[in-house]
Amino acid sequence: SQQGEEDPQALSIQEGENATMNCSYKTSINNLQWYRQNSGRGLVHLILIRSNEREKHSGRLRVTLDTSKKSSSLLITASRAADTASYFCATDYTGGFKTIFGAGTRLFVKA
Amino acid sequence: DTGVSQDPRHKITKRGQNVTFRCDPISEHNRLYWYRQTLGQGPEFLTYFQNEAQLEKSRLLSDRFSAERPKGSFSTLEIQRTEQGDSAMYLCASSPRDIHYGYTFGSGTRLTVV
């Protein structure tokens, strides 16, 4: 498959709870990005973590990267109804030009 | 407008017809990407340009697909002899040489082949 694996496929939580999404990939990467997509709209870049970084924060977002396990996680703290969207991880593999997207995690935050 | 523009927003075509989509990236971005996305799936890579050079093309693309980026500015994606399986959202994205801030995506062109 061209895509990475994301887990879970869907997640439903209450407003105020934390949401964790995981992404696994296959080969060595230069960096890993997370994007959000609201229904029927374009993708919005959230955060980029480079292969030599282990953790990165941006507002309520926390991303970790474990290159030994070829996996990443996105944590959204204190979720809001407006966080309801699909979240995709995307990897830039070494030796190539293309960025490969996963199938996404659909997050639903109930008010 | 400082975003990525795609035209048209929607296209309905009959099977067998040719279609062409246009993407205008952010002017200072030298990298341009085309992706295809179907319902419930992540974007699937189609091709990549650095300035006017097409540096990578997905092996999933058949000979019916072609893309250009003359003079390293706007880009076009043409699909010849469309098939129903080509129905999807076609997304364009651009980025500067340093992708620290990721790609900026356009709103996409939704193609429906009937």
Side-chain angles (χ1 to χ4, degrees):
Chain A
S1 169
Q2 188 178 358
Q3 296 178 334
E5 301 276 334
E6 287 176 317
D7 171 59
Q9 290 186 329
L11 181 61
S12 181
I13 60 175
Q14 291 291 140
E15 204 168 32
E17 294 180 340
N18 296 342
T20 299
M21 290 159 260
N22 303 294
C23 167
S24 60
Y25 56 92
K26 297 177 181 177
T27 62
S28 297
I29 60 172
N30 293 321
N31 61 69
L32 186 145
Q33 305 176 55
W34 285 91
Y35 287 82
R36 182 186 72 224
Q37 185 176 37
N38 292 88
S39 180
R41 299 192 177 183
L43 286 89
V44 174
H45 180 256
L46 296 176
I47 198 165
L48 179 150
I49 186 166
R50 299 187 188 276
S51 60
N52 60 353
E53 297 176 310
R54 292 296 167 259
E55 187 170 315
K56 209 162 181 181
H57 296 254
S58 177
R60 293 184 296 112
L61 305 180
R62 173 177 168 254
V63 169
T64 61
L65 179 65
D66 186 336
T67 53
S68 66
K69 294 181 180 178
K70 292 186 173 55
S71 67
S72 174
S73 68
L74 170 67
L75 169 67
I76 303 174
T77 60
S79 63
R80 306 166 182 168
D83 294 328
T84 294
S86 292
Y87 291 82
F88 297 93
C89 72
T91 48
D92 281 335
Y93 289 94
T94 55
F97 297 105
K98 58 189 177 186
T99 298
I100 304 300
F101 283 78
T105 292
R106 279 130 199 93
L107 173 65
F108 181 65
V109 181
K110 294 177 281 187
Chain B
D1 186 6
T2 58
V4 176
S5 298
Q6 291 189 246
D7 183 69
R9 292 293 303 274
H10 304 275
K11 178 70 177 180
I12 300 174
T13 191
K14 291 184 179 180
R15 190 173 50 187
Q17 297 294 305
N18 299 344
V19 294
T20 299
F21 309 141
R22 176 179 171 123
C23 171
D24 286 274
I26 292 173
S27 58
E28 58 267 29
H29 286 182
N30 65 337
R31 300 184 178 199
L32 186 146
Y33 305 81
W34 284 98
Y35 284 85
R36 177 174 67 186
Q37 186 178 27
T38 53
L39 192 63
Q41 298 297 313
E44 179 182 35
F45 173 81
L46 294 179
T47 192
Y48 162 68
F49 288 88
Q50 186 166 303
N51 299 311
E52 67 276 9
Q54 186 175 25
L55 297 185
E56 191 155 358
K57 184 177 177 181
S58 170
R59 282 176 281 180
L60 296 174
L61 251 62
S62 70
D63 291 340
R64 297 184 298 107
F65 287 72
S66 63
E68 294 182 341
R69 192 184 182 195
K71 302 178 183 178
S73 55
F74 71 92
S75 176
T76 58
L77 177 68
E78 181 183 18
I79 308 174
Q80 296 181 326
R81 305 182 302 282
T82 52
E83 302 171 356
Q84 285 190 321
D86 297 331
S87 295
M89 176 74 86
Y90 289 82
L91 296 166
C92 176
S94 69
S95 77
R97 187 180 307 275
D98 180 357
I99 64 165
H100 178 75
Y101 296 103
Y103 304 159
T104 301
F105 277 84
S107 297
T109 294
R110 182 168 296 284
L111 173 66
T112 302
V113 181
V114 297

